[in-house]
Amino acid sequence: MYALIEIPTKGLDAVSAGAAVVGVVALVAFPLIELRHPDPLLPLSLFRSAQFTGANLTTFTVYAALSGALFLLSLQLQQSMGYPALAAGIATLPITIIMLLMSGRVGALAQRTGPRVPMTIGPLICAVGLALMTLAVPGSTYLSGVLPGVLVFGVGLSITVAPLTSAVLASVSPDNAGVASGVNNAISRLAGLLAVAVLPVIAGLSHTGAGAPLGPGFGRAMLISAAMCAAGGVLAWLTIDRARKVDAYPLPGVNHACQDPCTCQFGKNRDQAT
């Protein structure tokens, strides 16, 4: 990440080159070590599941678009449209509000219908929202230039996130649920870091001066992000099982009430031994 951020702006020096080499070696070594370790941190066998792999690829594309687009939207609002920092932050607050209102309902619906349809529709709606963010240019108002894209993107994200988590957990055995959740979370963070480092370069914003308007590169970045979200929707349609749902596997706590005679007798004997 350090190399990806520093090289486009400062050129290739010893530190950034060293960081790039160390990063590449680590990325190559990690799966090799995991394959040989008797108790791997990340069992690579999980990726034999097409749904697990597809759900994580969808996570990567959607969260990369989310992080890169919102990062650049914040800069666009401040550097190109003159918003104060606090106002730029509040401008995207509707996304959070929409997710609070919708995510639980969408998750319950996905439990009944399966995650495939919402995971396809959600990223496509996100793509429309990101395309609408190209309207956020100097001279436009918040209501006409910013809010439409923010609202549509918030709806798409709300439709996507809960079914996405369900699809990941449904693709593995209960014993691997924790690992699957951790992998999905790590991939979402990795996607965001990569997007913030790489998207400005691809969109032609790497040489924009500190505090300078972003210019036409902002629109290109939003369209690239929209294409990534749309690709996530296509991946979900091709890889996610339409009918597979998530079963709950509650683990009893230390003081969990006994539920059957065998468990109760075991608990009684254990207490007597203690």
Side-chain angles (χ1 to χ4, degrees):
M1 292 300 174
Y2 180 85
L4 288 173
I5 292 171
E6 292 297 315
I7 291 174
T9 57
K10 297 182 179 179
L12 186 65
D13 57 16
V15 176
S16 58
V21 170
V22 170
V24 171
V25 170
L27 285 173
V28 172
F30 179 73
L32 298 178
I33 293 172
E34 294 298 282
L35 284 171
R36 290 167 172 77
H37 200 282
D39 188 20
L41 177 69
L42 172 58
L44 298 182
S45 59
L46 294 178
F47 291 96
R48 294 173 186 167
S49 166
Q51 174 156 315
F52 182 78
T53 302
N56 281 294
L57 287 173
T58 302
T59 297
F60 185 87
T61 56
V62 171
Y63 276 85
L66 162 69
S67 300
L70 293 187
F71 168 71
L72 292 177
L73 176 62
S74 177
L75 295 182
Q76 175 77 349
L77 292 174
Q78 295 176 72
Q79 297 177 194
S80 300
M81 301 175 68
Y83 281 48
L86 179 60
I90 294 174
T92 58
L93 185 60
I95 296 175
T96 303
I97 295 173
I98 291 171
M99 291 191 69
L100 285 171
L101 295 175
M102 289 186 59
S103 291
R105 294 176 174 84
V106 173
L109 178 63
Q111 287 292 93
R112 297 193 298 269
T113 65
R116 185 187 189 191
V117 172
M119 281 183 61
T120 301
I121 295 174
L124 294 178
I125 295 176
C126 285
V128 174
L130 291 171
L132 288 173
M133 287 183 189
T134 58
L135 300 174
V137 294
S140 64
T141 65
Y142 177 75
L143 292 178
S144 64
V146 181
L147 187 59
V150 167
L151 290 177
V152 174
F153 183 76
V155 171
L157 201 60
S158 299
I159 295 173
T160 304
V161 171
L164 180 57
T165 304
S166 297
V168 171
L169 297 180
S171 65
V172 299
S173 65
D175 292 340
N176 287 318
V179 175
S181 177
V183 169
N184 189 249
N185 186 65
I187 286 176
S188 68
R189 301 297 175 263
L190 175 65
L193 289 169
L194 276 172
V196 171
V198 175
L199 183 59
V201 178
I202 298 174
L205 294 170
S206 58
H207 299 293
T208 301
L214 301 188
F218 171 76
R220 289 193 294 269
M222 294 302 103
L223 293 177
I224 292 170
S225 299
M228 292 176 64
C229 271
V234 174
L235 282 169
W237 179 259
L238 295 175
T239 59
I240 302 301
D241 188 338
R242 183 188 309 232
R244 181 176 288 180
K245 302 180 179 67
V246 179
D247 295 322
Y249 295 95
L251 299 177
V254 175
N255 298 318
H256 194 280
C258 296
Q259 296 180 351
D260 59 77
C262 293
T263 305
C264 290
Q265 185 62 41
F266 172 76
K268 184 186 298 183
N269 293 339
R270 183 186 60 189
D271 292 340
Q272 290 173 353
T274 302

